[in-house]
Amino acid sequence: MKRRSLVVLFASLLAAVFMLVVYLAFCPAPALAEADRSNGSPQLVEAEANAFDYLGTDVAADPFSAVTADGGTASDKVQELVTKMTEASESLVKQITVTKGDYTVADFDDAIGLVVSNPEHYWMEPNFSYGYYDSDGDKESDPNESLAYINLSYLAAGADELTTLRQKFEAKVNEALSWVDDDTMSQFQVVQALHDYLVRNCEYNHAAASSGSSSSSSSSTKYSASFLAYGALVDGSAVCQGYTLAYKLLLSRLGVSSVCVSSTAMNHMWNLVKMNDDGGDLVKMGDEDGGGWYHVDVTWDDKGGTAEPSHTYFLRSDSEWRDSLGHYEWDAAYETPTTDYANRTYATYNGPTKSGSGATSATGYAHSRAATQNGVTFKVEWNDPVAGQDTTFHVTQTGGSSVAKARMDVPTYYDSDGSGAESVCDPSRNNWGTYYTLGDEGYDFTFSFTASGRYYMLFYFMDADNKVYYLRTNFFITIDDADHPAVSTIVANAVEQAKAATDGSEYEMALWLHDWELKQLDYDYSLNYCSAESGLTRGKGTCESFQRIYQKLLTKARLENARMEGNGHTWNAVRIGGKWYQVDVNWDDDNGANSKSYGFDATHLYFCLTDELMAVAHSDHTATYQASGYGCRSTDLSNNYFVRNGQAAEWAKAYASTIQTHLDKKETSFSVDTTNAYNPPSICGIQHPIIVYALNQMTWAASDGAKASTFKASSNVTTISNYSWTAVLDFKVAYGKVDLSGANISAISDQAWTGSEVKPAFTVTLNGGVLAEGSDYEVSYKDNVNFGTATVTVTGVGNYTGSASGTFKITKADSGSDQPAAGKVTMHRLYNKYTGEHFYTADASEKDGLVNVGWTYEGVGWTAPSSSATPVYRLYNSYVPGGDHHYTTSKKERDACVAVGWIDEGVGWYSDDAKGTPLYRQYNPYATTGTHNYTTSMAENDHLVSLGWRAEGISWYGVK
């Protein structure tokens, strides 16, 4: 199946079908030949979304469930997307980005079906869009094309608004449930009372129906709540989808099974409700025997205004629904009995029915619930519970045999904020599956209710002699005690404390909540308690408790997290600074008690680990994180507890001197014994890699200055037996070249001028060692012919790189004179045909170097005195193309050139004070380089002037 789209599609699941809504302006139920007056559910009737496969999702016990209407299970990929969308909604995240290839458009279609059929998502607006990768370029999405992102929107704009929204919603849910007395009412009465509550308290929203609730319409967002349970219950205004979801939610809160049914042809939605054979006691979802599924259309039973609720569309069979009541082409996996529900005696419900007195009856108990089969009646009796104290549930039987027996199932806790349900205890532990003989006196079961909220209670009965094998009764216990707050209240308070006590960063929040949780509970070695309820209100729990509590804390703090499992154990993953980390609060709790034996405080050993390190403790995790599609890959230790607090660096320093000994020997591979190898592999196998991380962050070098260009430390823990293992640190090192910039060149005494290059002897040392010329460095000189300051430079070769420089002076031969010994210097003239510059130098080496790179040697320009009272200054301009030199005897001109950026290269030669041979200077105003020329030839001077050069007179003199 394909959908029209852009290359990256914003495909509204609400648009196409619902913009075609037929708006009917009257309130009564339509004639049987007419279509629904409402537009139905945008999410659920979009045919191409494939959502209808999952419209019957049973979410009463777990709002994250992915059990389909026909009892099947959605794929792992679909369940992952459902979880992502559900968790995103808790933090009001508006876009979920997924990795290319992880999920398909078909996965998204199926996931949306699960999400929209879950009435507990009552703050998630019915406006979904998504992006995908158009693999075939046809701009139409295919089921197998890769999903890119999902866009979500909400009724609430922020966390505070969501809290208020939830409070309003739960208040209305409680108001609706107050119309039901589950102590005295049959299932039929409960189902009718909730049906009538919605009819009396909700009006059909015609404006929302006509809007179509399309995501492309500004008016649609205005009416989003009308397509949700929120609109029906809080706003009292909804279309058929809002009625249907609200009815499903109310029934689920009492343990009655129902699913959503839709008809694209009718553009309409209603419910199927699972009823017992006789409409007697309520049953928990999934536990029904007999009975059947029946159609209920609350929307069409609402005549509008103050009209009494109709029951025309209440508990009807398929045949009646289709043949007489105008419904057709619906999509549901359940079949109904062949006739309507028979045991129907309607009562009038228009307000609360619970007495609330809690008075003890004549039998000694305030409440009771009974179930009968084959002439045997079992009864459960109890008084109003006192939070924190044991409540007795007295179970008796009449008409049964001596083998009649009963058992109490594990209570299920429903948080008062409507966030979900959990079994307080592990049903496989603590004799929860054991039946107890009732005899004549009955049997007393006890349970302590420790948190505000609702507890679902379920009792099973057997009497083999009377062929009673699977009889049940159930009911809810509500606790509302400020001294025993709900789990959600405890969690919210803890998160507020964390915000006040930290800087609010993700790391500090995750750490504070981790430490706070450690103070709340101890491990339950009886393995009975396994819930957040038990951990936070009873102070005990298994790994399940630790994991669930931390998950709730992180979610409330808006930290992305995930559940991890392996080796019969569970822990958490949390994203901090955009990176995933593994956290096991349970094992950190155990480590706190054993810290003394470990030699360090191991309370945080399992806080922010990589997948590989968590797999040291929980070996099954290796297969988990190596599997394709794993979404919490943890590879970083920068936020590990011991790295962040500096302890890892301190541990690393303990090995520094031993490691340095090996580096000084230039060893490339070596091992170092650890100092705490006595700790078991589950401890040292984690601590040592953390130390290794710190070692690998440090800078290392050999004593000769050679840096470790590659330094890789690794932990090697080898298990020999349960009681024997070895632990060492292995190292692989590659060394870089030594930098000579810090080398020392020994002092060079003043050298006598000779007229030739002066190359004195000296010594080069580095890090206490003497280096050798040729194998360790090469030597070059500058300004080492004429008197003045000369420079010697050593440049690294072999194992050395970089350079170092020193200076020495060239002085006169006769210490009684202010000038060098008399003599003459040959001045060489060169020409650069690329720049037009003439260049003059007394240095034969410099002349030869320039000739080698393309300059033209024009012979001897003149002969200069080796010294005089009139030096000629040489300057260089690096800013013009190719560079340019200038020569002058004027200090003023020299200083002016330097002031505008020329480089003073010192004295180039000297002018003859006897004024033997004049050097004429010419200037070319049209050139940028080679702007001056100097010559002893008057003919050359005159020729250049004839070409436009300017004669600037005599610059200096050479000797005759």
Side-chain angles (χ1 to χ4, degrees), residues 43-64:
Q43 299 96 326
L44 302 180
V45 299
E46 166 58 50
E48 295 180 342
N50 297 325
F52 295 150
D53 290 341
Y54 304 98
L55 285 178
T57 300
D58 179 352
V59 297
D62 182 358
F64 299 163

Side-chain angles (χ1 to χ4, degrees), residues 623-643:
T624 298
Y625 77 76
Q626 291 179 351
S628 175
Y630 174 62
C632 302
R633 189 70 175 99
S634 309
T635 60
D636 179 70
L637 282 175
S638 61
N639 279 313
N640 173 264
Y641 175 79
F642 297 110
V643 172

Side-chain angles (χ1 to χ4, degrees), residues 511-574:
L511 176 60
W512 193 96
L513 294 172
H514 166 282
D515 293 354
W516 178 87
E517 182 178 347
L518 290 178
K519 301 173 185 177
Q520 307 308 308
L521 73 157
D522 294 319
Y523 190 77
D524 180 15
Y525 288 97
S526 73
L527 306 182
N528 179 37
Y529 290 105
C530 64
S531 58
E533 185 262 17
S534 67
L536 292 179
T537 66
R538 303 171 194 269
K540 62 181 72 173
T542 61
C543 60
E544 282 284 352
S545 297
F546 283 91
Q547 186 276 328
R548 292 181 185 184
I549 293 170
Y550 199 47
Q551 179 179 5
K552 288 178 179 290
L553 291 167
L554 294 173
T555 300
K556 186 64 178 178
R558 300 186 179 182
L559 295 179
E560 187 176 357
N561 63 91
R563 175 187 172 94
M564 299 286 108
E565 296 178 354
N567 301 89
H569 183 63
T570 181
W571 64 96
N572 303 84
V574 57

Side-chain angles (χ1 to χ4, degrees), residues 395-703:
V395 182
T396 58
Q397 60 87 16
T398 56
S401 71
S402 60
V403 298
K405 52 189 176 181
R407 75 174 176 89
M408 182 173 74
D409 200 9
V410 173
T412 300
Y413 172 71
Y414 287 77
D415 202 307
S416 61
D417 71 345
S419 60
E422 61 175 353
S423 292
V424 175
C425 303
D426 184 341
S428 68
R429 305 284 181 177
N430 202 37
N431 298 322
W432 285 108
T434 302
Y435 281 84
Y436 295 89
T437 301
L438 299 178
D440 295 332
E441 301 297 325
Y443 190 87
D444 288 341
F445 297 90
T446 60
F447 186 76
S448 177
F449 301 95
T450 56
S452 292
R454 289 164 60 84
Y455 288 83
Y456 177 79
M457 307 300 294
L458 177 62
F459 290 82
Y460 290 87
F461 312 108
M462 293 180 65
D463 186 347
D465 288 354
N466 288 288
K467 296 182 171 29
V468 178
Y469 300 106
Y470 204 63
L471 188 60
R472 300 163 309 286
T473 191
N474 56 39
F475 48 89
F476 278 92
I477 298 290
T478 299
I479 303 297
D480 186 4
D481 187 332
D483 292 333
H484 293 81
V487 168
S488 58
T489 301
I490 298 172
V491 168
N493 289 339
V495 171
E496 289 305 311
Q497 292 177 50
K499 292 177 180 178
T502 69
D503 60 9
S505 67
E506 292 179 337
Y507 173 83
E508 292 296 338
M509 288 290 288
L511 176 60
W512 193 96
L513 294 172
H514 166 282
D515 293 354
W516 178 87
E517 182 178 347
L518 290 178
K519 301 173 185 177
Q520 307 308 308
L521 73 157
D522 294 319
Y523 190 77
D524 180 15
Y525 288 97
S526 73
L527 306 182
N528 179 37
Y529 290 105
C530 64
S531 58
E533 185 262 17
S534 67
L536 292 179
T537 66
R538 303 171 194 269
K540 62 181 72 173
T542 61
C543 60
E544 282 284 352
S545 297
F546 283 91
Q547 186 276 328
R548 292 181 185 184
I549 293 170
Y550 199 47
Q551 179 179 5
K552 288 178 179 290
L553 291 167
L554 294 173
T555 300
K556 186 64 178 178
R558 300 186 179 182
L559 295 179
E560 187 176 357
N561 63 91
R563 175 187 172 94
M564 299 286 108
E565 296 178 354
N567 301 89
H569 183 63
T570 181
W571 64 96
N572 303 84
V574 57
R575 190 193 289 270
I576 298 175
K579 299 177 181 179
W580 282 102
Y581 296 90
Q582 303 290 310
V583 179
D584 193 335
V585 185
N586 180 190
W587 277 39
D588 273 343
D589 182 61
D590 287 343
N591 281 346
N594 296 312
S595 287
K596 290 184 179 179
S597 63
Y598 295 150
F600 69 100
D601 184 356
T603 306
H604 299 88
L605 186 63
Y606 299 97
F607 184 78
C608 289
L609 295 181
T610 62
D611 286 317
E612 286 80 359
L613 295 192
M614 191 58 80
V616 172
H618 313 308
S619 57
D620 287 355
H621 188 54
T622 299
T624 298
Y625 77 76
Q626 291 179 351
S628 175
Y630 174 62
C632 302
R633 189 70 175 99
S634 309
T635 60
D636 179 70
L637 282 175
S638 61
N639 279 313
N640 173 264
Y641 175 79
F642 297 110
V643 172
R644 286 287 296 255
N645 74 358
Q647 183 63 60
E650 292 300 317
W651 288 335
K653 290 177 183 178
Y655 295 95
S657 61
T658 303
I659 294 170
Q660 192 63 55
T661 300
H662 293 277
L663 296 181
D664 291 346
K665 296 176 182 178
K666 292 291 186 69
E667 295 179 13
T668 58
S669 178
F670 57 90
S671 298
V672 173
D673 291 334
T674 59
T675 59
N676 61 344
Y678 54 82
N679 282 333
S682 62
I683 301 300
C684 69
I686 295 175
Q687 183 190 16
H688 291 169
I690 294 173
I691 297 173
V692 161
Y693 176 86
L695 289 169
N696 287 333
Q697 305 307 304
M698 300 168 67
T699 300
W700 298 92
S703 58

